[in-house]
Amino acid sequence: MEVNCEGCAGCCIDWRAVGDGASDHERRGARRPLDDAYNLVPLTRDDARAFLDAGLADALTPRLWRADDGAAVDGVELAAIDGQPVFFLGLRQTAKPVEPFGTDAHWLPTCVFLDPTTLQCRIHDREEYPTECAEYPGHNLELDAETECERVESAFGGERLLDGDPPTSLSGLLLGPQAVGQKVFVYPDPDDLDGVVDRARADELTADDRARFVAAAVAARPGTTDVDRERFETALERAAAADSWAGRAVAEWEATAGTTGDEAPDPDVAERIEDDRGAPSTPGW
Ligand code: SF4
Ligand code: SF4
């Protein structure tokens, strides 16, 4: 596997507003996400623990799904196992001014950790760098599924996927039952989620809402739907207290960003919004 990521970040940006060819791969089948995120990064339980330990729990957000026969919360049938709603834990996205694929600057939903000025990941060399990001698009290649690199090539030209052979070392795919408690988590008390589901649908989750899901992921027991109650309570307290550069930067981006797809100012405004708040710098290409 070899990819040409310079000037791309196609797997870190929701670029649907500036190019044809984006895919609906996250919205096929019977289960539909409540959110509208594109290319949500599903974190593992170990990833979630690393983010919590790094004080970055406020950079995480859940994905819940609608299903025909799940657990009813706020009048919505949620995908569930044994009556307990299931979710992915992912990274927050917020509109930033970015210039991917040689385009002019536009406001596009972008991973909280992407440096808009270099289009590089701010946590690339850190403990919390997600496994999914480190290995992308390895699992797609192993499954013979289309990659974001190829979608970017189709929409904007250029060569992104330079070698499509799957890497020899790749973590387990975590599909089906083995994903439970490791990448697909259950929320233990559906009654806690009254109001949360409405807010998830409106893209108005609060910090406390998101902290609940971080805690449930951190306290999951792999291969089971059990949640360690003591660990849940401790993690909930720590997650709710998170006040990182990332969470504060998202708040300012949300207060200042234009409409998705609109022209945006120079990405270097990120220096004030992210770098000055303590965001790790990126080296450039
Ligand atoms: S879409 Fe592919 S080429 Fe582009 S940044 Fe992601 S991995 Fe790299
Ligand atoms: S964590 Fe880094 S590599 Fe992963 S989606 Fe965010 S910016 Fe991209």
Side-chain angles (χ1 to χ4, degrees):
M1 179 180 91
E2 187 181 351
V3 285
N4 167 25
C5 299
E6 182 173 350
C8 182
C11 49
C12 314
I13 295 173
D14 178 353
W15 49 271
R16 290 175 292 181
V18 293
D20 295 331
S23 144
D24 65 350
H25 57 285
E26 291 161 282
R27 290 171 179 80
R28 295 183 188 132
R31 294 182 191 147
R32 299 275 156 159
L34 297 189
D35 62 85
D36 185 42
Y38 181 68
N39 283 335
L40 182 108
V41 175
L43 302 177
T44 64
R45 186 186 69 145
D46 289 345
D47 293 332
R49 291 182 173 185
F51 278 106
L52 183 68
D53 288 346
L56 288 164
D58 54 346
L60 311 183
T61 194
R63 164 168 285 173
L64 295 144
W65 296 268
R66 262 177 224 281
D68 291 337
D69 55 352
V73 182
D74 288 342
V76 177
E77 291 282 326
L78 298 176
I81 301 174
D82 298 333
Q84 297 170 305
V86 296
F87 66 97
F88 274 164
L89 192 66
L91 303 172
R92 293 175 73 186
Q93 297 179 351
T94 186
K96 300 187 189 184
V98 285
E99 300 172 329
F101 333 119
T103 59
D104 293 333
H106 290 85
W107 289 107
L108 295 175
T110 298
C111 176
V112 59
F113 293 114
L114 190 77
D115 179 349
T117 62
T118 61
L119 298 181
Q120 290 176 319
C121 179
R122 292 191 186 274
I123 56 171
H124 185 264
D125 294 323
R126 300 171 84 94
E127 182 70 27
E128 57 273 18
Y129 187 49
T131 309
E132 184 78 12
C133 298
E135 298 185 341
Y136 193 81
H139 286 140
N140 297 51
L141 298 174
E142 189 161 275
L143 294 169
D144 204 18
E146 187 182 34
T147 64
E148 200 61 22
C149 323
E150 293 165 294
R151 292 183 201 115
V152 169
E153 287 174 350
S154 300
F156 299 98
E159 288 190 53
R160 295 297 175 187
L161 184 61
L162 305 180
D163 173 359
D165 286 339
T168 45
S169 65
L170 203 55
S171 65
L173 268 169
L174 292 178
L175 296 173
Q178 55 176 320
V180 176
Q182 298 205 72
K183 192 178 261 188
V184 176
F185 306 103
V186 299
Y187 191 84
D189 297 309
D191 291 348
D192 289 353
L193 300 183
D194 285 345
V196 175
V197 172
D198 274 344
R199 291 193 288 278
R201 293 167 67 198
D203 194 22
E204 291 175 354
L205 285 176
T206 66
D208 285 346
D209 294 338
R210 290 191 299 272
R212 290 192 167 282
F213 294 95
V214 175
V218 164
R221 291 196 168 112
T224 77
T225 57
D226 293 345
V227 169
D228 180 324
R229 291 287 172 169
E230 199 176 322
R231 192 185 281 269
F232 176 91
E233 294 303 331
T234 307
L236 180 58
E237 198 173 321
R238 292 175 67 203
D243 182 24
S244 70
W245 70 265
R248 282 181 270 127
V250 169
E252 181 157 355
W253 286 125
E254 288 179 344
T256 57
T259 304
T260 293
D262 279 2
E263 288 180 15
D266 193 297
D268 67 10
V269 298
E271 288 171 17
R272 179 180 60 78
I273 295 177
E274 299 186 355
D275 299 64
D276 288 356
R277 286 191 161 92
S281 60
T282 55
W285 296 97

